[in-house]
Amino acid sequence: MFPLDIWLTYTAACLLLVLSPGPDNLLAIARGLSQGRMAAAISGIASGTGILFHVATASLGLTLLMQTSAVAFWVVKVIGASYLLWLGIKVLRSRSLINFKPAARQPLKSIFLTGFLSAALNPKPGLFVLAFIPQFVNPSLGSVTVQMMVYGAWFAALTALGFALMGIFATRLSTWLQRKPKVVNGLNVGAGLTFVASGLSVAALSQK
């Protein structure tokens, strides 16, 4: 059902996507800088879980409904854009996404929820999953749904691992950054603007 050459090609494509800059891997990096390896790992796992959510909805046909129903697409788009914009404005106002003060540390549950919602409420990954994964699915090799779920789960696992590793490696910079408050402030501003830009790009999505 999963030929090795197709699997390797798919894995390479997934890794390129994981390494592409975006709000979710930025979250994991920020958690790693502020709160260490565990927080980075939790944030990465949360993003992977968000991808799994999109894979499940795509396999069940909900993402297809979003593509064909103008109302469903609009509702999902507004929710996703609003959350990303809210997150960006919050970061810009508080400048605390990357913060080394112990009082500012967030519970792991909160870190997981933020990472999950950032991925799950963004309709772009759902549309991407629906457009990307079927290219590797071959109906002659077995159940299309099973293939979608397996390929999707692998993409989610690579996302979780990749984002977690980015955040964990970022912890090596934390000691240096603690002596550079202006750099930290710039990183927070950049992170906030990234979320705002992502929210605006979601708001600008058109149904195809």
Side-chain angles (χ1 to χ4, degrees):
M1 186 179 289
F2 303 100
L4 181 60
D5 57 335
I6 300 298
W7 188 268
L8 292 177
T9 301
Y10 174 75
T11 299
C14 288
L15 289 175
L16 289 175
L17 293 168
V18 169
L19 293 174
S20 300
D24 297 325
N25 50 20
L26 181 61
L27 265 180
I29 291 171
R31 299 308 187 191
L33 288 172
S34 298
Q35 293 189 225
R37 297 178 179 178
M38 180 59 72
I42 292 296
S43 186
I45 292 171
S47 295
T49 306
I51 296 296
L52 271 181
F53 170 80
H54 285 295
V55 170
T57 57
S59 298
L60 294 173
L62 297 181
T63 303
L64 182 60
L65 173 65
M66 189 174 68
Q67 275 197 324
T68 57
S69 168
V71 174
F73 178 81
W74 183 84
V75 169
V76 173
K77 184 176 76 167
V78 168
I79 292 174
S82 299
Y83 181 75
L84 288 171
L85 287 170
W86 172 80
L87 196 59
I89 293 171
K90 180 181 178 183
V91 171
L92 287 172
R93 292 184 63 184
S94 66
R95 309 287 174 89
S96 62
L97 183 62
I98 301 173
N99 195 318
F100 299 102
K101 296 178 181 179
R105 297 171 71 88
Q106 294 188 22
L108 295 180
K109 289 183 179 180
S110 176
I111 289 173
F112 180 87
L113 184 61
T114 300
F116 172 76
L117 290 177
S118 177
L121 293 181
N122 187 346
K124 293 177 76 174
L127 295 173
F128 173 79
V129 164
L130 194 62
F132 175 66
I133 295 180
Q135 297 182 45
F136 298 89
V137 172
N138 187 344
S140 66
L141 296 179
S143 169
V144 170
T145 300
V146 171
Q147 291 183 65
M148 283 281 293
M149 292 296 291
V150 172
Y151 279 126
W154 182 236
F155 179 40
L158 291 174
T159 298
L161 180 61
F163 288 5
L165 288 176
M166 289 180 196
I168 290 171
F169 287 138
T171 60
R172 295 170 177 258
L173 297 175
S174 60
T175 301
W176 178 79
L177 284 173
Q178 289 181 53
R179 301 193 298 267
K180 304 289 183 179
K182 290 184 178 181
V183 175
V184 173
N185 184 65
L187 290 173
N188 277 310
V189 171
L193 292 176
T194 298
F195 286 118
V196 170
S198 297
L200 292 175
S201 70
V202 169
L205 279 176
S206 60
Q207 190 178 24
K208 297 180 180 180

